[in-house]
Amino acid sequence: MIVKRVISLACFLLAGLTALVKAQTIVNHQVVVGKTDSVNSAVLHEKRTVWLYLPDGYDSSKNRYPVVYLLDAEWNFAAFTGMVHELSEVIGNTVYPQLIVVAIPNTDRTRDLTPTHALTGPNDKHMDGMETSGGGENFTAFLQKELMPHIDSAYRTAPYKMLVGHSFGGLTAVNILVNHTEMFNSYLVIDPSMWWDRRKLLQQTHDALRQRRFDGKSLYLAIANTMPLGMDTTLVRTDTSTSGDNGHIRSILMLKDNLQAGKANGLDWSYKYYSGDTHGSVPLIAEYDGLHFLLGFYDYPPGFIGSINDRNTKVDVVKAISDHFADVSKHMGYTVLPPEEEINHFGYRMLGLGSPERALVFFSLNIKNYPQSANVYDSMGDYYTAQKDNVKAAENYKKSLALNDNPATRKKLDGLQVKK
């Protein structure tokens, strides 16, 4: 049985609503930013709840969306989805594509996010609370065999998938990259606990990055400043003290070395050391930087929108848009068309600027790419209405109504005076 509820912004209170909600809306006097779903896991022998963010306009479109799987939902959901909303939907931003975010709260974090059983900490001393550790492979099986298939069947997902993990979640992301590489296209790894189990996974990573190919995969590594005063990233490499947690950052720096040594393996990767951020503060800025790197191919280059809005531009903007999305498709591994809503906006923008010939090009492109959309014919009808060609306007309004009997379109058709 699938259970669906709504997540409220105020302390993430769960309200008893089952309707699909947009990215941000007001329901029963609450600002709603998502909903919950759940899966009864045969692998983990428990029901697992996930928190879902769906893009604005999800329920009124037929689009499919890339999916981000975000670990530690309790800590990361609000900030992460707010950033995605801001940079993919607000004020015309297209820095990221619109995304579905599937955030996974914890039931037993130590069990699920550690790949092997161990009882020692960053400096190889006994650490309390690790008794249930070592269930990472079962958790990965839950993701791969139960949660991801459910999300793909219940929501309009695209093939591109990203995994985001911090600390033990970062350890899990590295384990999946190395041992289950094909599960995700890209990995955002934030200050991972690579010290785990006397650096066993770190050694596996060392070997895998030198011996295997990772073509088509990308990774961003964030390193926080977890060192005591007077220590730096050079000194910490040779620090032999057994006090403190220097083993944590030392192991991450070793991971960075392994990534650099495996540079011919096809993995597209980058990293940043955040000297002003701690282990706890680094996720927010690292998620921002990481998504910019991992999805950097998506946004238009600087000046591109200016060229589109310039009625006197010499740039073949439609060819430029088509070429851009051909490159986006190459990165994402499937065909990505220019967004219907965006191209529609450009068409109306050209009409407003007094450039009907360029408006026609945009509206025609949308009809070519989205022939089953009622909206593209409605927009073309508006174009011909503006050109006072009521016959062609009526033809397009009728095509739109054949696909969706929209009252607004019918009113426009009825308002035309067409000679019979």
Side-chain angles (χ1 to χ4, degrees), residues 165-369:
H166 166 237
S167 194
F168 274 178
L171 179 73
T172 295
V174 173
N175 182 58
I176 292 176
L177 169 70
V178 171
N179 294 308
H180 308 275
T181 310
E182 296 308 313
M183 281 179 62
F184 297 93
N185 301 82
S186 56
Y187 297 80
L188 205 173
V189 179
I190 304 170
D191 216 41
S193 302
M194 298 306 298
W195 50 267
W196 181 257
D197 198 4
R198 292 183 168 85
R199 296 162 293 286
K200 181 178 290 186
L201 179 61
L202 184 63
Q203 183 58 51
Q204 292 178 19
T205 304
H206 171 278
D207 298 339
L209 291 171
R210 286 164 172 77
Q211 297 170 7
R212 290 174 38 208
R213 302 290 306 176
F214 293 86
D215 299 286
K217 306 300 176 183
S218 56
L219 178 145
Y220 183 84
L221 173 65
I223 308 173
N225 184 355
T226 55
M227 299 176 291
L229 293 175
M231 190 72 68
D232 60 31
T233 55
T234 299
L235 291 175
V236 77
R237 288 176 175 273
T238 57
D239 173 56
T240 58
S241 65
T242 57
S243 61
D245 292 331
N246 286 341
H248 176 78
I249 189 171
R250 190 160 52 240
S251 67
I252 302 174
L253 293 171
M254 293 169 69
L255 173 62
K256 184 213 33 144
D257 294 343
N258 292 340
L259 288 163
Q260 289 174 327
K263 60 185 177 181
N265 61 15
L267 179 67
D268 182 22
W269 75 280
S270 183
Y271 85 98
K272 184 175 180 179
Y273 168 58
Y274 295 85
S275 62
D277 280 282
T278 65
H279 184 69
S281 70
V282 76
L284 180 62
I285 188 171
E287 287 163 358
Y288 177 90
D289 290 342
L291 287 184
H292 271 66
F293 171 74
L294 296 171
L295 298 173
F297 55 82
Y298 187 80
D299 198 15
Y300 293 116
F304 189 83
I305 298 300
S307 295
I308 289 176
N309 289 332
D310 179 5
R311 60 177 296 180
N312 297 314
T313 184
K314 302 301 182 183
V315 175
D316 185 341
V317 291
V318 170
K319 181 179 185 303
I321 289 172
S322 298
D323 290 346
H324 174 73
F325 278 94
D327 183 66
V328 169
S329 299
K330 180 179 178 181
H331 280 89
M332 301 195 82
Y334 60 96
T335 299
V336 180
L337 297 173
E340 176 187 340
E341 299 83 357
E342 186 174 65
I343 299 302
N344 207 47
H345 168 76
F346 291 155
Y348 282 110
R349 174 70 173 162
M350 291 303 103
L351 278 180
L353 289 173
S355 184
E357 68 283 353
R358 290 182 64 199
L360 178 61
V361 173
F362 283 117
F363 291 137
S364 298
L365 178 64
N366 252 356
I367 288 177
K368 174 185 176 183
N369 288 335

Side-chain angles (χ1 to χ4, degrees), residues 27-248:
V27 180
N28 291 348
H29 306 291
Q30 294 185 344
V31 178
V32 175
V33 295
K35 68 171 192 172
T36 65
D37 199 341
S38 63
V39 175
N40 289 319
S41 172
V43 174
L44 299 176
H45 306 292
E46 61 186 8
K47 184 169 75 173
R48 293 302 295 258
T49 297
V50 295
W51 298 0
L52 281 159
Y53 168 94
L54 299 173
D56 201 9
Y58 176 90
D59 48 351
S60 61
S61 78
K62 296 181 180 179
N63 297 338
R64 293 187 172 273
Y65 303 91
V67 185
V68 178
Y69 286 84
L70 177 68
L71 302 177
D72 292 320
E74 306 94 323
W75 304 333
N76 296 318
F77 184 80
F80 189 88
T81 57
M83 179 177 62
V84 167
H85 175 67
E86 178 76 19
L87 294 175
S88 65
E89 299 173 359
V90 175
I91 320 176
N93 279 327
T94 56
V95 179
Y96 313 147
Q98 287 189 303
L99 300 166
I100 293 173
V101 178
V102 181
I104 308 168
N106 298 299
T107 56
D108 185 338
R109 186 173 188 270
T110 299
R111 178 198 68 190
D112 290 342
L113 302 186
T114 54
T116 53
H117 180 69
L119 301 174
T120 53
N123 289 312
D124 300 336
K125 288 186 174 183
H126 178 81
M127 186 164 61
D128 293 333
M130 299 296 110
E131 290 76 16
T132 63
S133 64
E137 285 301 307
N138 278 344
F139 181 74
T140 300
F142 158 69
L143 292 180
Q144 186 173 32
K145 298 177 181 179
E146 296 178 329
L147 179 58
M148 294 169 76
H150 167 65
I151 296 297
D152 287 339
S153 65
Y155 304 94
R156 296 193 309 277
T157 64
Y160 190 92
K161 294 177 173 61
M162 178 189 298
L163 179 63
V164 181
H166 166 237
S167 194
F168 274 178
L171 179 73
T172 295
V174 173
N175 182 58
I176 292 176
L177 169 70
V178 171
N179 294 308
H180 308 275
T181 310
E182 296 308 313
M183 281 179 62
F184 297 93
N185 301 82
S186 56
Y187 297 80
L188 205 173
V189 179
I190 304 170
D191 216 41
S193 302
M194 298 306 298
W195 50 267
W196 181 257
D197 198 4
R198 292 183 168 85
R199 296 162 293 286
K200 181 178 290 186
L201 179 61
L202 184 63
Q203 183 58 51
Q204 292 178 19
T205 304
H206 171 278
D207 298 339
L209 291 171
R210 286 164 172 77
Q211 297 170 7
R212 290 174 38 208
R213 302 290 306 176
F214 293 86
D215 299 286
K217 306 300 176 183
S218 56
L219 178 145
Y220 183 84
L221 173 65
I223 308 173
N225 184 355
T226 55
M227 299 176 291
L229 293 175
M231 190 72 68
D232 60 31
T233 55
T234 299
L235 291 175
V236 77
R237 288 176 175 273
T238 57
D239 173 56
T240 58
S241 65
T242 57
S243 61
D245 292 331
N246 286 341
H248 176 78

